[in-house]
């Protein structure tokens, strides 16, 4: 037995939050009866309908996108800005796994597999994300140690991170830092650097778990192989 909102989200119909809204507003029926209570559990034999149509399970799709700057990571935007979904040709209802800021580039997964998306985003599964950060000024060893031990952002101490200086460019007075974190708070990397007195000039996510975007140009995407999907499941369940 699983919660109704989870079954709807996992089918690829919509996000879990949207599924909760549909349930609460009385748009979902189970075996012909309106269910507007979020705690309800269902099983495979139950017939679910949404707005009168039977819930169908979509074929699962998994995409790795190299997100360009100037694109937002939501499914729609009231200001009519370009979204990551505008870059992808698909007839499936895909959702971004987590978020990258408007000006952040790099690895972004999109899928209609709600189960895997939730597992990847859940902090307990500690999925590593590797970022390359460009900041103004030289970043000393002391600062790198502070970042790696955790810093306070919004009254929350970040977990241990792997941090190293990749390059310092004297001419432009900028440093390139590699940081690997497994949390995903809003604007986490920028806030971590702010906490130690640095302004992020550029931010790129190069890798999520074992998936990198080195072979993808900005704005390009590719489908994950079955082997990669299985490996992701193995990582979140290990
Ligand atoms: N951390 C940030 O500050 N921004 C992102 O887009 C991703 C991680």
């Amino acid at each position: 037995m699983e919660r109704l909102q989870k079954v709807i989200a996992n089918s690829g119909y919509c996000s879990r939050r949207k599924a909760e809204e549909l349930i609460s507003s009385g748009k979902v029926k189970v075996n012909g009866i309106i269910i507007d209570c979020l705690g309800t559990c269902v099983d495979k034999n139950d017939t679910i309908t949404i707005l009168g149509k039977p819930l169908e399970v979509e074929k699962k799709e998994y995409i790795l996108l190299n997100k360009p700057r100037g694109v937002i990571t939501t499914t729609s935007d009231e200001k009519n800005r370009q979204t990551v979904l505008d870059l992808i040709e698909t007839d499936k209802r895909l959702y971004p796994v987590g978020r990258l800021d408007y000006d952040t580039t790099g690895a972004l997964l999109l899928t209609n597999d709600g189960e895997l998306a939730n597992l990847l985003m859940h902090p307990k599964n500690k999925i590593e994300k590797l970022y390359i950060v460009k900041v103004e000024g030289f970043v000393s060893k002391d600062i790198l140690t502070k970042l790696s031990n955790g810093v306070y952002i919004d009254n929350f101490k970040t977990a241990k991170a792997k941090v190293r200086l990749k390059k310092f460019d004297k001419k432009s007075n900028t440093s390139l830092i590699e940081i690997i974190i497994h949390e995903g708070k809003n604007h986490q990397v920028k806030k971590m650097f702010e906490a130690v007195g640095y302004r992020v000039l550029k931010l790129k996510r190069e890798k999520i778990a074992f998936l990198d975007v080195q072979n993808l140009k900005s704005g390009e995407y590719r489908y994950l192989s079955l082997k990669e999907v299985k490996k992701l499941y193995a990582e979140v369940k290990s």
Side-chain angles (χ1 to χ4, degrees), residues 114-125 127 233 236-237:
E115 185 189 3
L116 183 62
N118 284 320
L119 288 166
L120 287 169
M121 285 188 285
H122 201 294
K124 80 166 193 259
N125 291 320
I127 294 301
Y233 264 106
V236 289
K237 291 193 167 162

Side-chain angles (χ1 to χ4, degrees), residues 170-211:
K170 251 189 176 169
K171 217 168 138 196
S172 61
N173 188 35
T174 55
S175 302
L176 272 191
I177 315 284
E178 180 184 286
I179 179 164
I180 303 174
I181 59 172
H182 58 255
E183 295 160 318
K185 301 270 176 213
N186 249 352
H187 315 299
Q188 176 154 346
V189 176
K190 289 177 187 164
K191 285 184 177 171
M192 285 176 78
F193 278 84
E194 259 168 40
V196 291
Y198 287 83
R199 194 165 71 88
V200 171
L201 301 174
K202 264 188 181 173
L203 181 59
K204 179 175 187 188
R205 180 156 72 189
E206 279 215 339
K207 217 169 166 187
I208 305 168
F210 54 89
L211 296 166

Side-chain angles (χ1 to χ4, degrees), residues 23-56:
I23 295 167
S24 300
S25 58
K27 309 246 166 55
V28 181
K29 284 185 184 172
V30 177
N31 304 327
I33 296 163
I34 292 178
I35 300 292
D36 56 9
C37 161
L38 292 179
T40 308
C41 287
V42 290
D43 72 18
K44 281 185 217 109
N45 300 320
D46 291 314
T47 306
I48 301 166
T49 55
I50 303 175
L51 294 161
K53 287 201 183 128
L55 178 70
E56 283 169 24

